[in-house]
Amino acid sequence: MITIKKIAAWAAWTGATALFLINPVQAGIPIEHWTQASGAQVYLVQSHGIPMLDVQIDFDAGSRRDPADQAGLASVSASMTGKGVLAGPGNAAGAGATEPALDENALSEAWADLGASFHAGASRDRMSFSLRSLTDPELLARAVQLAARQLGEPAFPEAIWQRERETLNAAIKEANTRPATLANRAFAAAVYGPHPYGFEMTEATLARISVSDMKSLHARLIAPCRAKVTLVGAVNRAQAEALVTQLLARLPTADAACPALPTVAEVVPLDKPVVKQISFDSAQAHVLIGQPGFKRNDPDYFALTVGNYILGGGGFVSRLTNEVREKRGLSYSVYSYFAPGLHAGAFTLGLQTRPDQAEQAVQVSRDVLTNFVAHGPTAAELKAAKDNLIGGFALRIDSNGKLLDNVANIAWNGLPLDYLETWTQQVARVTAKDIKTAFQRRLQPDRMVTVVLGGVNAGK
């Protein structure tokens, strides 16, 4: 007879390998979607090759909803959900029994015994909870029950928060000695201004966050009606329906209408260039150039994605690498990327260089960007970019973990359910004119933020 411990040990090993193998060239990835009576939106991809299940539950509770003077609230609240759970009334199988409270050590041991995992984190836009478990009926039932407790009844222990805050303060002090941290902070502040995307967690903001603030956030924002639940694994729709119901059962129930949350203002475009030269005793100067970019649901998404691959996203084959590194030897690496979200995430061009070369590196980078926005890519660049992106598409979904990320993004951003099936077609349809037009709509090289940090004489 296979014991729970043996199954859990196998699960732990499988988790370490971290892969569910999916046929990377399968023509279609059917996504089943429905809305439960609670209001929770569910997205399911059945994958029966290996008896495992990955689940991600997303809420509109990311750092964009942090008060300015409590930056970091979403992040620490998510982290603290893993530091213990309250005592519970028990479940149907244990009628009359009660569930004892679990501290962080007991909770960690409980997950280890199941060979399963449950994590929480917060990004700019969302707070996410992720469960991975074998689908063995006994193990999965226990894992879902434990996840439901952790999701719905976190203890938020005061003593643990005081300890965590001290740990975070120490980490912030250490990070403040790194030039990359300081450069990124100055860049974000200049690009986003007062928008929450530019908020920075500091010792001062941590000092203003209390356990009651975390409990209030949890009560206001983590509700079934606000959940988007993505499942990838060896379960059918009926099983998924029951699992989601159980996972969300211990959350406080919001009003049936699930009132809308306050609107978060959009990122304000720059109206002039901003240059920040910051002195810092470092061997390399850190250079960041950029401005607010675009929102994830922008219709120009594919043109901007293909175009950025050519400009600075394609590594050694990008135009920036060719001009800055290969031709002039100004930097070992140079890159560019967009970070679209519910609001216009930054377009960022970055590199490191010798301080005495920083001025030249900035000028060359600006020239490459300006030329690309004005004229777009060549036919050869466009073909090479499409071939690479389309050829590499299978690697984006070759495990259940990656597939979960992609489907959760579809759910979160309201993308079409056939988004993955049509991804390569969308890339193939992009023209040089599309890229040129899209870049001219979204980027203004004469209104960029430029941060140069490094070299003791920088800024003098």
Side-chain angles (χ1 to χ4, degrees), residues 28 45 53 200 278 285 324 371 390 412:
V45 175
L53 174 68
E200 178 82 14
I278 304 170
V324 176
N371 181 277
I390 292 172
W412 185 253

Side-chain angles (χ1 to χ4, degrees), residues 55-59 61 74-83 107 111 117-123 126-132 147 150-152 154 156 217-218 222:
V55 183
Q56 181 168 320
I57 311 170
D58 293 319
F59 298 92
S75 176
V76 299
S77 298
S79 176
M80 284 292 292
T81 63
K83 304 304 180 184
L107 194 55
W111 283 115
S117 62
F118 188 70
H119 301 290
S123 62
R126 49 182 153 162
M127 186 177 292
S128 303
F129 299 83
S130 57
L131 168 67
R132 166 169 283 187
Q150 193 169 326
L151 176 63
F156 294 119
L217 180 153
H218 188 269
I222 312 302

